[in-house]
Structures are given as C-alpha cells and as structure tokens.
Amino acid sequence: MAENVHVTTKSTPRGGSAVLDEAHIGDIEGAFGTIRVGDSDSRRSWMARLLTLLAIIGPGLIVMVGDNDAGGVATYSQAGQNFGVSLLWTLPLLIPVLVVNQEMVVRLGAVTGVGHARLINERFGKFWGAFSVGDLFLLNFLTIVTEFIGVSLALGYFGVSSYISVPVAAVGLIAMTASGSFRRWERFMLLFVVANFLVIPLVIFSHPHLAPMVHGFFVPGVKGGVSSTAVLLIIAIVGTTVAPWQLFFQQSNIVDKRITPRWINYERADTVLGSLITVFAATLIVATAAFAFGHTPLAGHFSNAGEVARGLNRYLGNGAGAIFAIVLLNASIIGAAAVTLATSYAFGDVFGMKHSLHRAFSDAKQFYASFSALVLVAAAVVLIPHAPLGLITTSVQALAGVLLPSATVFLLLLCNDKAVLGPWVNKLWLNVVAGIIVATLVALSLVLMATTVFPNINVKVLVDGLGVALGLCIAIAAAVVLRMRRNAHPVDPDEPELPRDTWRMPPLALLERPRWSRGRKASMYALRAYLLVAVVLLLVKAIQLGTGHH
C-alpha cells in the first residue's frame, strides 16, 4: 500500500514542544503506509487522499471496535435475549455521542502532542488529576478483568480450560504489544478489526426479520415496560459503547502515531468510520440473540456470554455457536489490548516515563512492565473459582456509564482552553451538544439511583419527569448561551488569524494554569460527590441482582 506519502509539517512549534517522549516526534508509520515529516503535497487527487487516509487510519477504528469488547458482546447479547429488538434504538443515538466525544480527543491529541492524563494533571492540578485518572485506573482494571472473562468463556465453549486459555491469552497479548514496532502492533489490531465482521454470517444464522429490526432501531420502547433492570441495562449499553478509557486511549495513540494538526480531517474520518462499524456490529449481535432466543425457554434468561454461545448451538446449530465464541474471543483480545494500553499510556503520562510503542522493551521497561502487570493480575482474578462472571461484566459496563459524565466534563474543559488548543478550541454548537450529552448521562444515572433507593417507584413516571426537567434545563441553557453570544465582544478584524495546520500547544511549563470560579469549583465538587453516591448505589443494585432481589 502507500509506503511513502510525502508531506511537510513541522511537528515542533517555535519555542519548543510539549511532547513528553521524543519517540512521539517523527514520521507517521501506519499499518498501511508512511507519511514523512519532510515534503509538501497538496493531495488534490482522490488516490493521494485515499493513500493518506490508509496511512492515518488506525486509532479511530481500533478505539471504536475496541468498544465491542467482551463486555460489549455480553451486554448486547443480554439486550437481545432479555428484551428482543426493543432496545435497538439506543444504538443509533450513541453514534453522535461517540463522534462528538472522540472528535474532541482527536483535536487534543494532534494539537497538543500530549496524553489526556498529563493534560488533566498539568492544567487542573494533581487533586483533579487523581480524581480523573484514579477513576480510570480502577475502571480500566475491572474492564480488563471482563476481557479475560470473555477469553475464558469463549475458549471454554471449545472445551479449553480457563487455566490454559487465560494465561496463554495474557502472554500472547504482552508479546504482541511489546514488539517494539508501532506499525506491527497496529497491523495486529487491524486484523482483529476485520474479524469483527464475523457478526454478519452470525446474524444470518438467526434468520432475522427486517421489519421489527427497523422498528426497534427507530422507535424507542422497552419490551415488558420500563423497569430498574431495563434502565441498568441501558446504562450498561451506553457504558460499553461510550467508555471513559476511549478518551485516554485515542488521544495517546494519536500522539504515539505522531499525527499532527495537518492530518486531523483524516483522523476524523477514521473516527466516524469506526463509530459506524461499532454500531453496525452491536446491532447485529442484539438481533442475533433476539431472533435466536425469542420463542425459546431461554428468552429473558441471560446468564453470561458463554451460555449464549451454547444456546445458539442448541437452537441454530454448532456453526452459529462456534462463530459467536470466536466473535467473543476476538472482542476480548482487542478490548484487553486497547484498555490495557490506555492505562499504561496514562501511567506513563502521570509518572513522566517513556511510553511509546515505537520503543523496544529494553528502552521503555516501566511502560511495558505496567502493561504486563495489569494483564497478568487481571488474568489471575478471572481464575478465582465461582465468581459471578455475567454479573461482573454487566456491572462494569454500567459503572463506565455512570463515570462517563465526569470524563466528558474534563474533556469539555480542555477543549475550551485557548492556551491548549489555540485556533482549535470548541465551537459554540459543539459545547451545546456535549452539554446535552452530559446532562442525559447524568439523568440516566439518576434513574438508576432512584430505583435503587426506592425499588417500588414508578419508573415510567420518573423517566417522563426527568425528561421534562432535562428539556427545561436544555432550554434555559440555550437561552443563556444565546444571550452570552449577543453580548460577546466582536472579533477584531485586525487581529491576526492563527495558522491552524501548523499550530501546536507550547510546552506546558510555559502555560499559566486556568483559574476556576467559585461556581465552577462548587459544581465540580458536587459532581464528585454525586458520582461517589452513584457508584455506591450501583454496587447495591448489582448485589441485589446477584442475590435475586430485583
């Protein structure tokens, strides 16, 4: 493919660079081509643009398809088995959420040359850095555990003991990542992306009906009515499809791949393509479980993804069960690779270590050691006998959904920081959309909290009431924003426009830390307190489900 696409772009701004690891500066060495730092090319032909896209493509596809990990496959299967196609409508709504969140991350990575964890630490201080990154480390570790649960269940279908499958997968994952070549690692990951399309023959085995799928995709509803269990699953769908680790992974992976502002539009295309593939695959998994189990005794009785494979074998034949097990295994590996790497990148950011896939093991021992330790400890946890694997998986996805508003708030603050993004700061409409996303996510977790504390509450009335309140809040916020826009100072026509394609963030040490108003501080402390309560109540709900008290 495009092995040499020549380009001119200065990767280092005048006055120095904020890049922490010098391995993050140089040619872009993608799975399908190289983009040199040196020569200029306007890329007017479609072929030149396609070759450039092929060289850039990777971070967006990997982060999005990594969403359809073991937890994702389990959660989508549970949605189909317990609620048919009635929850399909949640998936298209997540496309704009995915694209908006990850597009902001694309700009942060390309413009700053700095990972998400380091930016939060440097711009907001160690307290808020610990708040954000501490949550990330906990959630990511639990997520990696679910990936190895997926490996155990997938290979268990073929009769392989978890005491063999899990250690072998862990060692293979470490070997694949610590090869010392970014290009080699990316090619490995893109093979797993391609394997994701096995969901197409899988859904064909289930003999789906198009009309109910289209209805479920576009008309909101919940089979059997809205309940606290259904709300928990909806939050899990959100949490597995739009997870906080994605922000940290894609930003650091863009930095590691050496993508600069010159290539932002290509990385945006990579991200949109990945989001469409993610939702497409998720839809087919929900449909497979819905049509395979719809009129069987297994309908409404999801236990874990391994049992889904056995159920498909029973009702659709061994081919369907085997394909589902392979899809689950593939999802587990790509998920474990991406989530663990996101954590190791953040670890390198926080502690100022060399952290690049361009470096050999001997040249970045702490980076690869942290990766290996996470993988091995998570694998060991899965081998604990009699653990409630299905419940752990669903609860971790729901936890991701609960913690997502916090991650999105920090993302918004960074993307409105002129010292960080210069001419690349958020437009007004993007802030409005992102604000609506945060408010909706908080509303969902409020429903979960209320149904946990008051199990007999009328969930439909609660959801309707919160919907009205959310609409009023959005209307008030829109009015405030419009008023602020009318009162804003006009742009000075004599003020020189900053060059977007070559503008990079200066070294962080040269930037003055933003000052927060009392109102913003109070809001952030309130968000922190709310999240602590939400996490505790989520734990209570998980225990209730585990002990059979719904």
Side-chain angles (χ1 to χ4, degrees):
M1 288 277 199
E3 278 300 325
N4 287 289
V5 182
H6 293 288
V7 191
T8 32
T9 294
K10 290 271 187 190
S11 13
T12 311
R14 288 181 185 177
S17 168
V19 170
L20 183 62
D21 188 329
E22 62 185 16
H24 296 156
I25 298 174
D27 297 341
I28 295 173
E29 298 174 359
F32 302 123
T34 298
I35 298 180
R36 304 290 180 198
V37 176
D39 298 324
S40 175
D41 190 329
S42 59
R43 282 168 175 70
R44 292 180 181 175
S45 73
W46 282 104
M47 181 56 69
R49 291 175 183 173
L50 177 60
L51 293 177
T52 303
L53 177 61
L54 286 173
I56 295 289
I57 209 164
L61 268 179
I62 293 166
V63 75
M64 294 297 188
V65 176
D67 271 339
N68 287 351
D69 59 355
V73 171
T75 303
Y76 304 140
S77 301
Q78 182 177 3
Q81 186 169 346
N82 290 1
F83 294 93
V85 292
S86 68
L87 295 182
L88 276 180
W89 57 272
T90 59
L91 296 175
L93 294 178
L94 292 176
I95 294 176
V97 180
L98 282 167
V99 172
V100 166
N101 270 14
Q102 297 307 122
E103 189 279 335
M104 287 191 277
V105 165
V106 166
R107 278 182 285 126
L108 280 174
V111 174
T112 68
V114 169
H116 204 64
R118 185 177 170 219
L119 266 185
I120 292 173
N121 256 6
E122 295 280 352
R123 299 303 286 158
F124 308 131
K126 291 183 179 179
F127 173 80
W128 294 107
F131 169 18
S132 177
V133 179
D135 287 349
L136 175 84
F137 285 159
L138 172 63
L139 178 60
N140 281 11
F141 175 74
L142 293 172
T143 305
I144 298 161
V145 170
T146 68
E147 310 304 358
F148 283 107
I149 290 172
V151 170
S152 172
L153 296 175
L155 290 176
Y157 175 84
F158 298 106
V160 180
S161 166
S162 58
Y163 292 99
I164 297 173
S165 62
V166 171
V168 168
V171 171
L173 192 57
I174 293 168
M176 179 183 78
T177 306
S179 67
S181 166
F182 185 98
R183 171 172 286 158
R184 192 179 301 123
W185 171 85
E186 191 169 75
R187 285 174 175 169
F188 273 126
M189 296 298 282
L190 291 178
L191 282 175
F192 293 118
V193 170
V194 172
N196 190 61
F197 287 96
L198 282 171
V199 293
I200 296 174
L202 181 64
V203 78
I204 291 171
F205 274 110
S206 71
H207 306 292
H209 301 290
L210 189 60
M213 281 183 67
V214 171
H215 183 270
F217 203 70
F218 293 106
V219 181
V222 179
K223 182 181 178 182
V226 179
S227 64
S228 60
T229 304
V231 171
L232 178 66
L233 186 57
I234 290 170
I235 294 174
I237 290 171
V238 173
T240 193
T241 311
V242 192
W245 68 263
Q246 293 173 254
L247 309 179
F248 292 81
F249 172 84
Q250 190 171 4
Q251 184 166 334
S252 289
N253 201 236
I254 284 170
V255 173
D256 204 5
K257 192 166 182 176
R258 305 159 175 169
I259 293 171
T260 60
R262 171 78 169 84
W263 315 111
I264 280 180
N265 284 337
Y266 291 97
E267 183 52 32
R268 282 169 171 161
D270 178 30
T271 302
V272 171
L273 179 62
S275 70
L276 295 175
I277 291 173
T278 293
V279 170
F280 172 75
T283 300
L284 297 194
I285 292 170
V286 173
T288 297
F291 291 108
F293 302 127
H295 301 289
T296 73
L298 293 181
H301 298 289
F302 173 87
S303 63
N304 62 57
E307 290 304 314
V308 171
R310 292 181 182 87
L312 293 175
N313 178 34
R314 188 183 314 163
Y315 293 107
L316 302 181
N318 189 49
I323 291 176
F324 183 87
I326 294 169
V327 166
L328 177 60
L329 177 63
N330 179 72
S332 304
I333 298 296
I334 192 172
V339 179
T340 310
L341 188 55
T343 315
S344 296
Y345 275 143
F347 192 79
D349 270 339
V350 170
F351 296 104
M353 305 179 316
K354 295 175 181 178
H355 55 297
S356 173
L357 294 173
H358 291 285
R359 294 188 179 277
F361 192 98
S362 59
D363 195 24
K365 290 176 184 175
Q366 291 172 307
F367 171 60
Y368 289 117
S370 67
F371 183 95
S372 304
L374 276 167
V375 167
L376 294 174
V377 175
V381 169
V382 175
L383 299 178
I384 297 172
H386 310 300
L389 303 183
L391 180 62
I392 290 172
T393 301
T394 304
S395 299
V396 169
Q397 310 316 311
L399 177 62
V402 168
L403 294 178
L404 186 61
S406 163
T408 307
V409 166
F410 280 111
L411 177 62
L412 266 174
L413 291 172
L414 288 171
C415 284
N416 284 280
D417 191 337
K418 188 108 181 177
V420 167
L421 281 184
W424 292 96
V425 290
N426 275 6
K427 303 290 186 187
L428 176 64
W429 69 267
L430 190 54
N431 285 329
V432 171
V433 172
I436 292 171
I437 289 169
V438 172
T440 305
L441 292 170
V442 171
L444 273 174
S445 56
L446 275 172
V447 173
L448 177 64
M449 288 173 64
T451 54
T452 303
V453 178
F454 307 105
N456 297 322
I457 196 171
N458 187 318
V459 181
K460 187 177 185 310
V461 171
L462 176 65
V463 170
D464 290 344
L466 279 173
V468 171
L470 182 61
L472 285 172
C473 288
I474 291 169
I476 292 168
V480 170
V481 167
L482 287 173
R483 184 176 178 182
M484 288 171 62
R485 194 172 184 180
R486 280 199 300 269
N487 295 335
H489 296 294
V491 177
D492 184 354
D494 297 326
E495 188 177 332
E497 223 176 284
L498 295 171
R500 283 165 64 89
D501 280 359
T502 56
W503 196 92
R504 304 296 301 277
M505 183 183 74
L508 282 163
L510 301 180
L511 303 182
E512 187 180 344
R513 224 178 245 177
R515 294 180 181 179
W516 284 3
S517 65
R518 288 182 180 178
R520 177 172 286 183
K521 279 185 180 178
S523 300
M524 293 300 291
Y525 281 120
L527 176 63
R528 182 56 171 164
Y530 164 75
L531 286 175
L532 287 172
V533 174
V535 169
V536 169
L537 291 177
L538 173 62
L539 181 62
V540 171
K541 184 64 182 177
I543 292 170
Q544 288 176 349
L545 289 173
T547 55
H549 300 294
H550 295 270

